[in-house]
Amino acid sequence: MRRLRSSTVVLGGMGVLAATITACGSEPDKRCVDPLTREELPRYECESGGGRDDDDSTHRGSYYYGGSVRDKRVSGGSFDKTAVDTGGFGCSGSGGG
């Protein structure tokens, strides 16, 4: 049976601890999405928050948090950032969408 050196065990434990801390404080994925079709859009479609800009261009997107993309459509997340659980080991928070 192989013995692990104490430095290997300590470094491995520190890596797990660092991953846990960063996972709890991380932001959920943010995508620009058409709220009606749930189709993923280019980021500039959300940049000014919708409506019309001074240059009379229309932005039709809203930010969608979490979830996943399949065939250019999002699912499993929410338009409400606070409703998305960022996950991570040992984290508490509300999930749903």
Side-chain angles (χ1 to χ4, degrees):
M1 185 165 104
R2 248 179 94 194
R3 294 182 138 212
L4 295 175
R5 295 183 184 195
S6 61
S7 61
T8 304
V9 173
V10 170
L11 289 175
M14 294 298 287
V16 169
L17 179 62
T20 301
I21 291 171
T22 56
C24 286
S26 65
E27 293 285 316
D29 291 338
K30 179 170 84 169
R31 298 173 175 87
C32 185
V33 172
D34 183 320
L36 299 176
T37 64
R38 297 212 175 197
E39 179 183 348
E40 189 172 23
L41 301 171
R43 186 167 295 275
Y44 67 82
E45 291 284 357
C46 289
E47 291 295 318
S48 67
R52 292 195 173 270
D53 283 342
D54 293 336
D55 65 356
D56 207 28
S57 62
T58 303
H59 296 275
R60 62 182 179 133
S62 295
Y63 285 115
Y64 187 85
Y65 300 93
S68 60
V69 179
R70 184 173 179 169
D71 297 327
K72 295 189 179 183
R73 301 220 187 280
V74 295
S75 63
S78 176
F79 288 102
D80 179 9
K81 183 178 179 179
T82 60
V84 178
D85 184 10
T86 57
F89 179 75
C91 297
S92 63
S94 62

